[in-house]
Amino acid sequence: MRRTEPVRLTDAEWFAQLGEVAASIGSDSFHRKLLHLAGLCIRHDSSWIIRYSRVAPPDVLYTSSVPDEIVAFYDEKGQYLDPFSARWKRNGQPGVVTLSEIAAEGPEAILYTKIFTPTANIADEIGMFFSTVGHCCFGLFLEREKGSFSKADIARAKLIFPALEGYHRSHLGQLFNQLRTGGPGVSEVVTRPTLIRDRHAVEVFSNASWREAVAADGSILPLIAALDGAEGLTTLQGRDYLLKSEPFDRDFPLAPGGRIFTLEAKRDLGTAAPADSVEYRAAAQILQALTPRERDILTLTMKGQATGQIAQGLAISKGTIKNCKLRIYRKAEVTSERDLVKKFSPFFPSA
């Protein structure tokens, strides 16, 4: 998806692709065409589509001009560092977000910019969040290998976002209409045990996994009754499940003004990534405590460079490097370079 120059929003190519997006509403190719439409008017080198959830790990759905090993590295480690995922979990708001905007929002961003983006050859990112249901969203990302997106690029992304979001909502409407018939798009919006009720608390849709869970756990239905009149995102704890619920807008397809309920098994929470997430957060907090010079020395050390090589590369003395390493050991609560490498090796790609 590489382009030398972006098209203007008045060009015929833009309107031709706009028509293709409209024609793809309700189909499997919709979000790929939506991503291509966004990329037409903003110069970039690669792109991703990632499904984010406020209760589950990110899921890479599509990439363009991204090597397979980078996608594998994201799935293995990058997802725990992803500051866009952390942003979605914090506020769940649709819109346009840039990497520079969220670079200082949390410790995840430090690891992300020190480890993942250099490995993936990413200099800057623009992300567009499109809400779905069940605390999820589709993140469409444009990335550059060199340089940053300009203010004009960001302004253009924000200018076209309302139109893209309108198409996305129409797409969701088509998918929800398919729920009644079990159409091909159901798995795109319903990935867990799910119940949808209209504003009168009448069931509009439930999938088989929901019905099986309700039959097995008698605490679920009383919890649903307790949510009558609740506002916003709500979580209640049952015997075997966490019940999460949020309302639909008054104009949302299928169940205007209704609610969606989703279940997450407690046993699944223990086998997901909480332990890994704690380790990554601890590593990020250590990196936060390091100075920029100390972070550079740590990165070069993790690449296998000796003190002399680091000193030559950074144009400083070996003594300065040794003193910096001692400070790094103290902050990382280790006593040797061997222990330091062992502690941080899970968080750095192989040299």
Side-chain angles (χ1 to χ4, degrees):
M1 194 185 286
R2 295 175 181 269
R3 297 190 60 86
T4 54
E5 291 296 333
V7 304
R8 295 173 298 179
L9 298 184
T10 54
D11 287 351
E13 189 176 355
W14 167 263
F15 287 101
Q17 182 61 28
L18 200 65
E20 288 196 26
V21 170
S24 70
I25 288 174
S27 74
D28 292 340
S29 65
F30 170 77
H31 283 105
R32 293 194 297 274
K33 291 185 180 297
L34 196 69
L35 177 64
H36 180 60
L37 178 64
L40 277 177
C41 62
I42 300 173
R43 185 176 62 81
H44 63 287
D45 297 302
S46 59
S47 55
W48 299 59
I49 300 176
I50 303 177
R51 178 164 51 201
Y52 290 129
S53 169
R54 295 169 75 178
V55 296
D59 185 16
V60 177
L61 302 178
Y62 171 80
T63 64
S64 176
S65 299
V66 180
D68 292 342
E69 59 268 24
I70 298 303
V71 178
F73 182 57
Y74 178 89
D75 288 337
E76 180 185 356
K77 297 179 180 179
Q79 62 169 294
Y80 303 115
L81 318 176
D82 189 340
F84 294 97
S85 176
R87 159 67 80 92
W88 177 255
K89 289 180 178 179
R90 279 194 297 271
N91 61 27
Q93 295 297 315
V96 176
V97 183
T98 64
L99 180 59
S100 59
E101 181 182 345
I102 61 175
E105 286 191 353
E108 301 90 352
I110 295 177
L111 279 171
Y112 187 78
T113 56
K114 292 296 291 184
I115 297 175
F116 180 74
T117 55
T119 303
N121 197 25
I122 296 171
D124 200 8
E125 294 181 271
I126 287 181
M128 299 182 181
F129 290 169
F130 300 91
S131 298
T132 59
V133 293
H135 331 297
C136 296
C137 80
F138 281 89
L140 274 56
F141 293 93
L142 303 176
E143 302 178 340
R144 280 190 183 167
E145 296 176 357
K146 295 181 180 179
S148 300
F149 289 101
S150 66
K151 291 182 179 180
D153 292 326
I154 298 168
R156 192 175 299 113
K158 292 181 177 180
L159 176 66
I160 66 174
F161 181 81
L164 271 56
E165 185 179 36
Y167 279 115
H168 170 75
R169 289 179 65 85
S170 296
H171 175 68
L172 283 186
Q174 289 283 359
L175 297 185
F176 271 88
N177 287 334
Q178 294 176 19
L179 288 178
R180 292 191 178 96
T181 59
V186 172
S187 62
E188 188 173 336
V189 293
V190 177
T191 58
R192 295 186 296 278
T194 300
L195 166 71
I196 295 174
R197 285 181 164 184
D198 66 17
R199 64 180 182 275
H200 303 297
V202 175
E203 179 176 321
V204 174
F205 167 82
S206 64
N207 56 12
S209 57
W210 172 273
R211 295 189 291 272
E212 291 168 2
V214 169
D217 186 348
S219 68
I220 295 174
L221 291 180
L223 290 178
I224 294 174
L227 286 174
D228 283 344
E231 297 181 359
L233 176 64
T234 306
T235 301
L236 295 177
Q237 182 169 295
R239 187 187 71 208
D240 300 323
Y241 294 89
L242 290 181
L243 172 68
K244 297 180 181 288
S245 177
E246 62 182 334
F248 289 138
D249 294 337
R250 287 290 176 183
D251 61 346
F252 201 84
L254 188 63
R259 294 190 72 89
I260 182 170
F261 303 84
T262 58
L263 295 172
E264 186 164 2
K266 290 182 182 178
R267 62 179 179 273
D268 292 341
L269 298 176
T271 58
D276 290 340
S277 297
V278 169
E279 292 178 8
Y280 276 92
R281 189 168 186 84
Q285 289 171 342
I286 292 172
L287 282 181
Q288 258 188 327
L290 300 180
T291 66
R293 175 66 78 192
E294 290 166 351
R295 291 176 195 161
D296 290 339
I297 292 171
L298 173 61
T299 299
L300 294 173
T301 299
M302 296 305 299
K303 290 182 177 180
Q305 292 192 17
T307 297
Q309 291 175 293
I310 298 173
Q312 185 176 7
L314 298 180
I316 54 180
S317 70
K318 290 183 180 180
T320 300
I321 298 295
K322 291 178 180 178
N323 288 333
C324 282
K325 283 188 175 182
L326 290 175
R327 291 196 296 270
I328 294 171
Y329 297 163
R330 184 171 61 252
K331 293 176 182 179
E333 298 182 345
V334 298
T335 57
S336 68
E337 182 170 316
R338 180 179 178 180
D339 291 339
L340 181 72
V341 171
K342 182 178 179 180
K343 186 165 190 171
F344 277 90
S345 60
F347 314 108
F348 282 80
S350 299

